[in-house]
């Protein structure tokens, strides 16, 4: 799958003769199914019209803070906050100087300054301007801010001179972006489902049976899978945590709601991590009104909830990776081994209540991971983020060479 598919790109265009190449670049980005919002500097409109670029990008082109038609002052800096990345092509020597020094006298520079996303700069200028120490100094400043430079080409320039400074060809820009975006993203194109947090099982409208799960482990796994390129759905029981916007979060309360949400996405999911602390039992007949205290003794009849991990395990296909968790107090390894085969999981992440710093509520965890083919592996006490990295590394390896685990 193209690493550009579905990406929201803010494309900044500066005043340079190379601006004409941007029409082809936008068409290529459209073919990759990326969505493009063009921002032009006022000077660039002398080289190519906003009408051309808005027609090709299927979006209105923004040039000024002030919309002369509506008479409104529009603050579009939010574009840089929500884009997957920003690409400035062609990036003129003047714009590079402004960005390197924090000037902000046009809309493009203002969006750049407030952007939180990666920024790619594709410079275009005459060879002597490119070589000048001022330009090279500005480029090193921009690199030091984390911006990524798409190197200009070598060839005939608009001035008639031959040398370095030509805007990279649109196909080269696309190839550079594809390569850069897929680096360190071994799960690009994969889908993942993660459950996290506790479930609350209603006794009556104001009371429930729950547990102390904070959801921290599951949220850390969801974030790590997302950063490795997977498209993540997080089904979360009640927690105070908030996942990043790139993760689709479905909030649920009960085990039944969690099962329904998982069931809805399971078939189209490559990676399934069940880290939620799901209640094993739920009140058989929750009261519709608040229960009043009358008798000395009070009994709640419980029934089993659906075993989400076990049910999905039975439906699992060979190219899906399924991970369950086990929190044990005794006979840890034996119980976890049994869980691995009973639930048809590929891995079981075992937490022992006997390990200090592991389990519910803490920021750290100490796990042993059991797999179908290898001996259990013990990990040190680590932050939940680092544990998430260990778990996700196993997922990457498993996805790259799936084990035929359905017996
Ligand atoms: N789980 C689940 N659905 C449930 C209960 C648990 O998906 N109704 C998942 C949890 O998310 C976790 C694993 O199963 O990944 C934990 O299993 P656990 O409840 O400990 O396993 P059981 O063997 O069913 O229970 P027990 O240890 O009590 O025998």
């Amino acid at each position: 799958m193209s690493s550009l598919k579905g990406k929201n790109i803010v494309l900044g265009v500066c005043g340079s003769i190379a601006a004409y190449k941007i029409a082809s670049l936008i068409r290529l980005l459209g073919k990759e199914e990326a969505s493009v919002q063009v921002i032009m500097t006022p000077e660039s409109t002398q080289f190519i019209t906003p009408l051309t670029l808005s027609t090709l990008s299927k979006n209105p082109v923004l040039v000024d803070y002030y919309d002369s038609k509506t008479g409104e002052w529009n603050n579009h800096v939010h574009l840089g906050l929500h884009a997957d990345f920003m690409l400035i092509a062609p990036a003129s020597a003047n714009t590079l100087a402004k960005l390197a020094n924090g000037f902000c006298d046009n809309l493009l520079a203002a969006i750049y300054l407030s952007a939180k996303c990666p920024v790619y700069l594709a410079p275009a200028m005459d060879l002597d301007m490119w070589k000048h120490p001022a330009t090279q100094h500005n480029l090193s400043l921009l690199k030091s801010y984390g911006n990524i430079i798409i190197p200009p080409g070598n060839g005939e320039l608009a001035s008639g001179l031959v040398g370095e400074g030509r805007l990279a060809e649109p196909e080269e820009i696309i190839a550079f972006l594809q390569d850069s975006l897929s680096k360190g993203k071994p799960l690009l194109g994969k889908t993942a489902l993660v459950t996290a947090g506790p479930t609350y099982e209603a006794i009556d409208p104001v009371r429930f049976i729950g547990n102390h799960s904070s959801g921290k482990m599951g949220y850390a796994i969801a974030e790590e899978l997302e950063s490795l390129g997977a498209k993540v759905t997080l089904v979360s029981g009640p927690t105070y945590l908030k996942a990043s916007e790139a993760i689709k979060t479905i909030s649920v309360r009960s085990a039944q709601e969690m099962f329904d949400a998982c069931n809805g996405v399971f078939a189209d999911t490559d990676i399934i991590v069940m880290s939620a602390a799901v209640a094993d039992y739920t009140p058989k007949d929750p009261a519709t009104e608040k229960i009043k205290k009358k008798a000395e003794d009070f009994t709640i009849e419980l029934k089993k909830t659906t075993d989400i991990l076990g049910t999905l395990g039975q439906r699992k296909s060979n190219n899906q990776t399924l991970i369950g968790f086990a929190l044990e107090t005794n006979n840890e390894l034996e119980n976890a081994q049994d869980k691995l085969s009973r639930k048809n999981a590929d891995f079981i992440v075992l937490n022992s209540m006997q390990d200090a710093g592991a389990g519910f509520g803490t920021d750290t965890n100490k796990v042993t991971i059991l797999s179908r083919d290898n001996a259990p592996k013990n990990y040190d006490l680590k932050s939940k983020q680092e544990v998430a990295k260990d778990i996700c590394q196993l997922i990457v390896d498993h996805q790259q060479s799936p084990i035929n685990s359905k017996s």
Side-chain angles (χ1 to χ4, degrees), residues 195 255 274-280 305-310 323-328 339 342-343:
T195 64
M274 307 264 100
S275 58
V278 189
D280 287 325
T305 57
T306 306
D307 181 346
I308 309 170
L309 176 63
I323 301 190
F325 274 67
L327 180 63
E328 305 287 346
K339 214 163 275 184
R342 244 188 321 120
K343 312 240 182 178

Side-chain angles (χ1 to χ4, degrees), residues 342-363:
R342 244 188 321 120
K343 312 240 182 178
N344 197 31
D346 297 295
F347 299 97
I348 289 287
V349 181
L350 167 66
N351 296 291
S352 169
M353 285 299 269
Q354 290 173 11
D355 286 322
F360 285 169
T362 59
D363 289 328

